[in-house]
Amino acid sequence: MSKKIRSFVIILGVLVVVVGLCAGLGYYYILAPNTSVKDDGIIYLRDNSSISQVLDTLRRHGYIENAYTPSAVAKLKRFASPVKSGRYKIRNGMNNNELINMFRSGNQYPVYFTFNNIRTLDEFVEEAHEKLGTSKEELLTLLKDSDVLADLGFDSTTIMAMFIPNTYQIYWNTPALDLLKRMKKEYHRFWNEDRMAKASVIGLSPEEVITLASIIEEETVKPEEYPVIAGVYINRLNRGIKLDACPTLKFVLGDFTISRILDRYLKIDSPYNTYMYAGLPPGPIRMASIKVIDSVLNYQKHDYLYFCAKSDFSGYHNFSKTLRQHNIYAREYHQELNKRKIWK
């Protein structure tokens, strides 16, 4: 072999080694798995942090095996902006490229935000703060701002109707106004053509349907009674008979634990007092569940005009077509209240 050929072979061999080393280093720095996760891998970044601070957090949690290489990849990608605050999920076996791309894009892991059995806006605000990290003060302020409510299409009496209890995927630390806009979007998604058509047949707006549903949900703990009670109230509305709904008085009094409606309660002058004023109250008395809203839209058609809790305290109700029969059931129930010494 000539001297030139030997030199060429040596140079070629060196190049192969160098290229191999570079490829190996590139793989090690960029594509090799670098995370070890033995729990859910969820981290919360509460403030905009630098990538070095975030990587330090991952190191302290034991999520990254090599703390230097992801920092090098961040520099290679010229990633110097703060990492957006939020909820992120570190997966086992992620490489540095995936890790840095996730933080650079702010690709958060959503929260499954579930709320139900909510009676007041304050309770909703507490849920949003606890599960999403949304500012309580900011959210309460917005919910009391008439201009904000008007932009959403509601007012202080109807805003409760906008919140449809369900499970939603929402980013943690969502700003208060963004959360309200999302709830409005879900409200419109819920009121599809089918539901709107059924509400139109009944002669009620979506807000009125929810207002009636909110009363019904406070009337019974038995979901199978929802459509029956809905039928009673719709019959009364259609005939111009006052609803005489006990839950509306409990709402006025701010106490849903009341077991006995006293005569003096009936004289409270409030637009929510359905013993005093005909028709529906100005707005919902709680956040009504989807099941009861749909029960109003698919109410049971019958001739009942009255209902009263059964005296066996089973949670069920007796339904009546006449006031005479209703008074018999009511007397039985009140006698049992007296027997059990329940005075309020």
Side-chain angles (χ1 to χ4, degrees), residues 205-273:
S205 69
E207 290 82 4
E208 289 172 329
V209 169
I210 292 176
T211 296
L212 182 54
S214 72
I215 296 171
I216 294 167
E217 193 157 10
E218 288 293 344
E219 288 281 19
T220 181
V221 295
K222 305 297 183 181
E224 60 267 34
E225 288 191 338
Y226 290 162
V228 189
I229 295 176
V232 172
Y233 281 139
I234 288 173
N235 286 343
R236 293 176 76 91
L237 287 171
N238 288 340
R239 299 188 190 192
I241 304 172
K242 292 195 297 292
L243 296 185
D244 290 353
C246 297
T248 61
L249 280 177
K250 295 178 182 181
F251 174 79
V252 172
L253 293 165
D255 185 358
F256 283 98
T257 66
I258 294 172
S259 298
R260 194 165 197 156
I261 298 299
L262 305 179
D263 287 344
R264 69 173 183 269
Y265 299 161
L266 307 182
K267 299 175 183 177
I268 299 174
D269 191 358
S270 166
Y272 287 87
N273 184 349

Side-chain angles (χ1 to χ4, degrees), residues 25 28 72-73 78 94 98 110 127 141 177 196 204 218 226 235 248 278-279 321-322 339 342:
L25 284 173
Y28 176 69
V73 172
R78 297 180 180 178
M94 291 179 76
E98 293 170 325
E127 287 284 305
T141 298
L177 185 57
M196 289 294 289
L204 299 176
E218 288 293 344
Y226 290 162
N235 286 343
T248 61
K321 297 177 183 178
T322 66
K339 185 178 178 180
I342 299 173

Side-chain angles (χ1 to χ4, degrees), residues 128-142:
H129 175 68
E130 180 181 340
K131 296 177 180 177
L132 296 175
T134 303
S135 166
K136 288 193 290 187
E137 295 75 14
E138 185 182 358
L139 189 51
L140 278 172
T141 298
L142 292 175

Side-chain angles (χ1 to χ4, degrees), residues 279-294:
L280 290 165
I285 61 173
R286 64 167 296 136
M287 291 184 188
S289 68
I290 291 175
K291 187 174 183 65
V292 71
I293 294 171
D294 283 339

Side-chain angles (χ1 to χ4, degrees), residues 55-125:
L55 293 175
D56 186 58
T57 298
L58 298 186
R59 181 187 58 76
R60 284 187 281 105
H61 279 78
Y63 287 154
I64 51 177
E65 298 177 354
N66 186 312
Y68 172 75
T69 54
S71 179
V73 172
K75 290 179 181 178
L76 185 66
K77 289 176 171 285
R78 297 180 180 178
F79 177 32
S81 302
V83 178
K84 183 179 179 181
S85 63
R87 180 177 187 258
Y88 294 85
K89 183 177 177 66
I90 311 301
R91 294 178 288 102
N92 188 52
M94 291 179 76
N95 60 46
N96 292 328
N97 190 54
E98 293 170 325
L99 199 62
I100 298 304
N101 283 347
M102 179 179 69
F103 290 124
R104 186 167 68 170
S105 63
N107 186 16
Q108 300 181 49
Y109 193 72
V111 175
Y112 286 89
F113 178 46
T114 300
F115 64 93
N116 50 51
N117 198 27
I118 299 289
R119 281 192 172 124
T120 67
L121 290 174
D122 285 343
E123 289 179 8
F124 175 80
V125 168

